[in-house]
Amino acid sequence: MRTLLPPPPPSSSDYDQALASLAARILYPNPFPSATTNLPLYVLSAAAFPSTTSVDYDSLVPYVLARLPDQDSLISGLEYELLFFAHPGEDGKKKRPGWQWHVQTYQLLSRVLRKRLKRLWIVGAEKWIRVLVEGVMVIAGGKGRKKVVFVRGMRELVGWGVSVEELCVPPHVWEVEKKQRRKILDGNGNGWRRAFGIGEPLPHGESGEVRLPRVLRETTTFLLMDECVKTKGVFRINAKAVDVEALRELYERGQHFIVWQEKDTVVSFPHWKDGIGNVSLDELEEKDGFDVHAAAGLVKLWYKELREPVCPPSCYQAMEKFYGTQSMELEPQQLINLLKPDAEWTFLSATARQILCLHLLPLLSRVTTFHDWNQMSAYSLAVCFAPALLKGPDIEEDLRMVGVIQKLLEAMVKTWETHLAPALGLNDETFDEALRLPESVADREDVCEKDDQDSSWLEAQTNGIALIDNDGITAYSPDNDGEENMRPPPLPPRPRTFSDSRSEERRPALPPRLRSSTIADFPSSDATSSPLSSPKDGSDSQVKRKPAPEVQPLPRYSMVIGPPSAQQLPATLEHIPFYNSVEIPTEDFDSLVPDAHLPEYEALAEASGRGVIPRKPVPEKSPRNEP
């Protein structure tokens, strides 16, 4: 029988730091208490479980259980909740301990630790986990079964009243949820946006100045860290699409804690909560997070999803005219005139110039300073970002303008620190100030806004289909200029097909006394008295339909060949051709059909005008010459 001993103290030489770090990834306290009971909430991640071939579970379990509330707090009456994310790890099904080990481990838990557990949430459990938990609860006995709640996914967890925004969820859980469902959570309702494709891409702070949105502030801060910005191909290598889509939904929903990790660099930004203050994650170095390529992909996605692109289609002609020549060298003064806030002429909007000067150009210029490590030159960055700055209705025209945008963007990145930034009154300190966490709590999270783009498109399509009732709208006339009173012209009559005309011809006509009458001419007090209504008591109706003709069966072979009567024979042989080119011996045919009379059939066929095909003469067999 195993015994469960507490782990040695951290100051002891027997303390295993590797097992302690692994236990911190498996079980950790949530920054916020439970939203349903306001009790301490602990998160248990199955994706962090190691394989039994690499770690001794008997030595690991004491380090994991030591992260729960201590015995003194539990004895004093402290209760807690446990949230178990049972989603499998990236390496598939690992070698896990058997069910006997789980039963023994559960029995070794202290009574106070099991009693003070208020609720156990199990999210995304497979069938074998459900069977295992049910078996352990039945064998161990007690009231633990009533505390277990099985939840299929994060969306169902929201239905139980759990605030998902306040949870510190491992990244792998979001990936698995995104693969299983097109949308992980319901968000803030259909038609609401917070981070991507909003009408005001650069929000204004409380003091009125323009600031960066949260998604750009956090991703750029992580990208420019020393270990991250030196990653080879930081913007060229694509991230996993499921990571980018999951991050997009998290920022749209306003997830409080998103962890970023690249090798030994782990970053998470604090969140302000009324009554508590700034809340940060503890033991951040032990957390799992999204990598640097996911952050780079999210930055490119933000530019791609702009409602009004940096280079709109209206400026294509001017860009191609002034900057489309390949041999043309762009002077710094030309670029300054494009980016100046008070420029006399420029094809860039004021919002586009703010985005370029406040974020994109300083970011790309700083990335190029680490070209020896990340292999990202100004040309490479221009190739990565130029397609994201265009979004026109014609794809071929966008592809034609990509080369011009690459040329302009490459020249701007090369001359940013030396010419453009000083001329515009910007420097590195300005960029660093824009990336700092705002002092105002209201500026740390972006405000949701209604997405009217899709709804207007749907409304236009609905009006074009004319699904509304137009009975009260006046008819169209050239003198009527108001669009509200214009009634669409009626649809042309549907052409009548051949089948419709034949069906109308077969339809029986009404009696003469009913042809000039209508339904309104009959009294409506008694529906059964109408001559057009069908009787219910089985009596004869005043309107009788002609019965359908009976289907005649096909003629039998004996009727064609045998001696039918003189009245049936002409009607039977009316559409049947007669060909008699093979001589049939009489004795053979009589044995098959005794009542057959071929001469009568031939005489009748000749009289009907079809004639009889003469028989071919049978060649006589030459006698064999005998030797």
Side-chain angles (χ1 to χ4, degrees), residues 473-496:
I473 304 177
T474 59
Y476 170 80
S477 62
D479 299 334
N480 193 355
D481 297 333
E483 295 183 359
E484 298 179 356
N485 298 326
M486 293 176 60
R487 182 175 181 179
L491 295 175
R494 180 178 297 180
R496 178 176 298 179

Side-chain angles (χ1 to χ4, degrees), residues 279-451:
V279 179
S280 303
L281 295 178
D282 298 332
E283 301 176 335
L284 191 60
E285 65 278 358
E286 306 298 342
K287 299 291 187 298
D288 295 328
F290 296 96
D291 60 359
V292 64
H293 297 293
L298 205 63
V299 172
K300 291 188 289 185
L301 180 64
W302 187 87
Y303 280 94
K304 182 180 179 181
E305 293 294 328
L306 284 175
R307 185 174 300 182
E308 182 181 356
V310 175
C311 300
S314 58
C315 67
Y316 287 178
Q317 185 176 1
M319 291 171 54
E320 190 175 11
K321 178 179 179 181
F322 293 101
Y323 309 104
T325 306
Q326 295 293 336
S327 59
M328 178 183 178
E329 295 292 337
L330 297 177
E331 298 295 334
Q333 188 60 38
Q334 293 178 301
L335 304 177
I336 294 174
N337 295 335
L338 285 176
L339 300 174
K340 284 194 308 183
D342 55 348
E344 297 180 358
W345 178 89
T346 177
F347 57 82
L348 298 175
S349 63
T351 304
R353 283 174 284 173
Q354 289 179 345
I355 294 174
L356 290 174
C357 297
L358 192 61
H359 179 259
L360 183 59
L361 295 179
L363 170 63
L364 301 185
S365 177
R366 190 169 296 187
V367 171
T368 55
T369 57
F370 298 91
H371 170 67
D372 296 338
W373 290 273
N374 55 32
Q375 303 297 319
M376 297 298 298
S377 60
Y379 174 78
S380 301
L381 293 172
V383 171
C384 294
F385 275 89
L389 305 181
L390 302 171
K391 189 174 64 174
D394 190 357
I395 299 179
E396 295 182 357
E397 191 175 5
D398 292 346
L399 294 176
R400 183 168 53 86
M401 295 303 301
V402 165
V404 182
I405 299 298
Q406 290 179 6
K407 181 180 178 181
L408 283 171
L409 190 58
E410 180 184 1
M412 290 179 180
V413 173
K414 288 181 177 179
T415 58
W416 174 254
E417 292 187 357
T418 57
H419 296 85
L420 300 185
L424 298 174
L426 302 174
N427 49 32
D428 292 342
E429 183 63 26
T430 307
F431 184 49
D432 295 338
E433 180 67 24
L435 296 179
R436 290 192 182 99
L437 187 68
E439 297 181 359
S440 176
V441 179
D443 295 341
R444 297 183 181 181
E445 188 62 68
D446 302 327
V447 182
C448 292
E449 68 176 30
K450 186 68 176 178
D451 181 20

Side-chain angles (χ1 to χ4, degrees), residues 557 560-561 573-584 589 598 601-602 605-606 608-616:
Y557 181 79
V560 178
I561 302 302
L573 303 175
E574 182 177 358
H575 299 288
I576 302 177
F578 173 71
Y579 300 97
N580 187 8
S581 58
V582 180
E583 183 178 3
I584 303 177
F589 189 82
L598 290 181
Y601 178 78
E602 295 177 4
E606 186 176 0
S608 61
R610 289 191 302 267
V612 180
I613 300 177
R615 298 190 182 98
K616 295 181 180 180

Side-chain angles (χ1 to χ4, degrees), residues 5 26 31 33 88 116 137 211 258 308 347 350 378 427 430 489 495 586-587:
L5 300 176
I26 296 175
R116 296 303 180 185
M137 293 300 177
R211 64 176 179 87
I258 300 177
E308 182 181 356
F347 57 82
N427 49 32
T430 307
T586 305
E587 58 276 7

